[in-house]
Amino acid sequence: MGTHRLPDPAMHASKPAANNRIAWIDAARGVSVAAIVLFHVVLWDYTPLTANHDPYLDPVWQRQGEILGSVRIPMLLLLSGLLASSKIRSGFASPGALRSMAVNYYFYALWLLIYFAVFLVIGIQVPHAFTTAGAFFRELLIPGTTLWYIFALVVYTFVLTLLHRVPAWLMLTVLLVMTILLPETLGLDGMWAKIIHNLVFFAIGVYLAPLLRGAQTWLRWWHGLPLAVVAAGSLWSSGKLPWAAAGNLLYLCFSLAAAALLLWGVILLCQIRMLRGFLTFIGTRTLSIYVLHAPLIYLLLFAEQKIWPSAIQDVAQNPMIMSIYPLVVTAAIIAVCLGLERITRNTVPFLFSAPRWLAGARNPERRS
């Protein structure tokens, strides 16, 4: 049975999740993509419905968005860098990096076109919408949708492969400094700001791959305590310093510590067979979930505005329902993503598998 993951330059190297290394990597990717879906459900659907009127629930869901926002993408990029490490460190002399870039951009352009069609069909204002041909072509080079992550993989793979001979310690030092200083220095905004800011997490995965691959062998249960202390301390103090760069440094420390803490938790959870199976099932299908979840939320917003506006307002007035609303909608969207991926696997396989001529003899997005 073919399975699909978020386009990742090193996915073709994975074998069936029969060992702890692959199991926890897949499980962590599953947790990350589920957190991404939850974040967008809360931001785009739950928050407008409640209109910030609930003094108890709103702060809870908003706070989870702030915290998970600093963890989900860093952890996903760290894992992507880990899996891409061998190709990137081999340089362009090996075809692996170029193929990975081509496959990633193929998925980016394909799904950008699908998003464009969705925006035209629903005809309502939704996050990141664009409805002109000029805007579409602009998006091909300047990402402005949730697909920025796939675009970022192309950029990251190119940059780090081009500089693969630069010592790892020097690259990580430069990227850490860049992450701390560049946002304020250049006045960056939008998705390109995210791309530059998050490069350091991908690079950590690339350069520390040997250490990370063996994490399940040296990780101990008590490691979570210092990670939690660093994460909590960095988060608490990041907004209390007058210097922007110091705040950026502390927030970066929080993101790294929180991502490591989440990985620690996932690795421990993978010792439970049932949880390991469930999380790896999600984690081996991250591509379909990632690219499909935003259009599904857009369609949900269309239905709420045009088909059952009064019914959804009645739901929004029920505190008991709204307390679990984001979790229920997130679970439903993930289930629909998986169902659509299964239905289209044989009918329109190009949606989640790059053509063989592009990806090489063995498709990096498929695993038997």
Side-chain angles (χ1 to χ4, degrees), residues 46 52-66:
Y46 171 83
N52 296 319
H53 288 160
D54 193 317
Y56 303 105
L57 289 176
D58 290 346
V60 172
W61 287 115
Q62 290 172 5
R63 192 59 175 166
Q64 69 79 29
E66 294 173 6

Side-chain angles (χ1 to χ4, degrees), residues 86-135:
S86 60
K87 289 184 177 181
I88 289 175
R89 300 305 293 271
S90 297
F92 287 120
S94 169
L98 287 173
R99 285 177 177 171
S100 296
M101 291 166 56
V103 168
N104 286 324
Y105 197 78
Y106 163 82
F107 283 115
Y108 176 74
L110 171 65
W111 281 95
L112 188 65
L113 182 61
I114 294 173
Y115 278 37
F116 184 29
V118 171
F119 294 144
L120 291 175
V121 169
I122 61 177
I124 64 171
Q125 185 60 42
V126 293
H128 307 148
F130 57 91
T131 55
T132 66

Side-chain angles (χ1 to χ4, degrees), residues 18-359:
N19 56 61
N20 289 334
R21 180 181 69 85
I22 296 300
W24 73 258
I25 292 175
D26 286 342
R29 289 169 67 84
V31 170
S32 295
V33 79
I36 290 171
V37 178
L38 176 62
F39 173 77
H40 289 139
V41 167
V42 171
L43 182 64
W44 297 346
D45 189 24
Y46 171 83
T47 299
L49 282 179
T50 58
N52 296 319
H53 288 160
D54 193 317
Y56 303 105
L57 289 176
D58 290 346
V60 172
W61 287 115
Q62 290 172 5
R63 192 59 175 166
Q64 69 79 29
E66 294 173 6
I67 295 175
L68 287 181
S70 305
V71 180
R72 60 184 187 276
I73 290 296
M75 187 169 75
L76 196 56
L77 282 172
L78 187 147
L79 294 168
S80 295
L82 184 159
L83 293 165
S85 178
S86 60
K87 289 184 177 181
I88 289 175
R89 300 305 293 271
S90 297
F92 287 120
S94 169
L98 287 173
R99 285 177 177 171
S100 296
M101 291 166 56
V103 168
N104 286 324
Y105 197 78
Y106 163 82
F107 283 115
Y108 176 74
L110 171 65
W111 281 95
L112 188 65
L113 182 61
I114 294 173
Y115 278 37
F116 184 29
V118 171
F119 294 144
L120 291 175
V121 169
I122 61 177
I124 64 171
Q125 185 60 42
V126 293
H128 307 148
F130 57 91
T131 55
T132 66
F136 170 78
F137 287 110
R138 180 178 181 273
E139 289 281 340
L140 290 174
L141 295 176
I142 306 175
T145 71
T146 53
L147 295 173
W148 74 268
Y149 178 89
I150 303 176
F151 184 92
L153 291 179
V154 180
V155 175
Y156 295 164
T157 302
F158 174 77
V159 170
L160 295 187
T161 305
L162 184 67
L163 302 174
H164 74 283
R165 294 188 182 279
V166 178
W169 67 267
L170 180 57
M171 280 296 299
L172 289 175
T173 300
V174 170
L175 291 176
L176 286 169
V177 172
M178 185 176 71
T179 301
I180 296 167
L181 298 180
L182 273 189
E184 278 69 33
T185 304
L186 300 181
L188 294 171
D189 195 11
M191 299 305 181
W192 263 106
K194 288 186 177 182
I195 291 174
I196 294 176
H197 174 78
N198 287 296
L199 172 56
V200 66
F201 301 108
F202 185 84
I204 288 172
V206 169
Y207 296 121
L208 301 186
L211 177 67
L212 293 170
R213 286 194 184 101
Q216 76 281 356
T217 63
W218 52 261
L219 195 70
R220 299 295 180 266
W221 65 267
W222 54 266
H223 287 167
L225 180 59
L227 290 173
V229 170
V230 172
S234 301
L235 181 63
W236 178 83
S237 56
S238 61
K240 303 185 184 308
L241 296 178
W243 309 287
N248 290 342
L249 173 60
L250 288 169
Y251 203 69
L252 177 61
C253 290
F254 166 72
S255 296
L256 290 170
L261 182 62
L262 190 53
L263 284 174
W264 167 83
V266 169
I267 292 173
L268 292 184
L269 286 176
C270 280
Q271 296 179 13
I272 303 174
R273 183 174 181 179
M274 184 170 64
L275 283 176
R276 181 174 69 244
F278 174 74
L279 293 175
T280 54
F281 178 83
I282 300 295
T284 52
R285 291 158 177 82
T286 47
L287 173 58
S288 58
I289 297 172
Y290 189 86
V291 298
L292 280 170
H293 84 275
L296 289 176
I297 298 177
Y298 297 149
L299 293 175
L300 175 62
L301 296 177
F302 173 81
E304 291 174 354
Q305 294 181 31
K306 301 296 184 180
I307 301 177
W308 57 68
S310 59
I312 197 63
Q313 287 303 317
D314 291 338
V315 170
Q317 299 302 317
N318 189 317
M320 184 173 296
I321 294 177
M322 295 308 292
S323 66
I324 60 172
Y325 180 88
L327 294 176
V328 172
V329 173
T330 296
I333 287 176
I334 291 175
V336 173
C337 290
L338 296 176
L340 289 174
E341 183 271 330
R342 185 173 182 85
I343 292 170
T344 59
R345 183 184 305 157
N346 296 320
T347 55
V348 278
F350 63 85
L351 291 178
F352 304 108
S353 293
R356 285 183 176 273
W357 61 266
L358 184 64

Side-chain angles (χ1 to χ4, degrees), residues 3-8 103 107 352-354 363-367:
T3 56
H4 306 278
R5 306 183 189 192
L6 198 62
D8 192 299
V103 168
F107 283 115
F352 304 108
S353 293
N363 196 315
E365 308 311 319
R366 258 193 192 277
R367 191 180 71 181

